[in-house]
Amino acid sequence: MKTRIAAGVTGIMLALGSANAAGASTALPCYNTAHRCVHHTTAYCGWTHHKKPIDKTETAKCKDGTHSYSRHSSGTCSHHRGVAIWWK
């Protein structure tokens, strides 16, 4: 009986763990460990101006002061007056 319960709990934990890992990889952008930015036509790269993001996953800071975690640069901060600083 104990073996059956342990096997059931292990199966549930594995199923939940793999679902969370897959969801997390698509929900958040990659960490910017290179400390450089891709060339953008708007705003400036924060790394070249000796500024740092609030955490490892922030990709941009908007002109109204909000922080963006978007995966793609297209449309980033579009409802926040545009991008002030890029981190990716």
Side-chain angles (χ1 to χ4, degrees):
M1 180 80 167
K2 288 182 183 178
T3 307
R4 239 194 208 165
I5 292 173
V9 170
T10 303
I12 291 170
M13 296 294 282
L14 288 173
L16 289 175
S18 63
N20 287 341
S25 66
T26 59
L28 293 174
C30 297
Y31 295 153
N32 186 350
T33 56
H35 293 187
R36 58 187 162 85
C37 300
V38 174
H39 177 70
H40 297 285
T41 57
T42 61
Y44 64 88
C45 181
W47 299 114
T48 59
H49 288 81
H50 306 291
K51 297 186 182 281
K52 294 182 180 180
I54 59 170
D55 61 29
K56 291 190 274 186
T57 58
E58 181 182 11
T59 57
K61 184 173 183 180
C62 303
K63 288 182 179 177
D64 67 354
T66 58
H67 305 278
S68 176
Y69 298 89
S70 64
R71 292 183 59 82
H72 306 286
S73 59
S74 178
T76 301
C77 298
S78 61
H79 296 285
H80 299 276
R81 298 186 352 231
V83 176
I85 303 170
W86 287 104
W87 302 113
K88 64 173 188 169

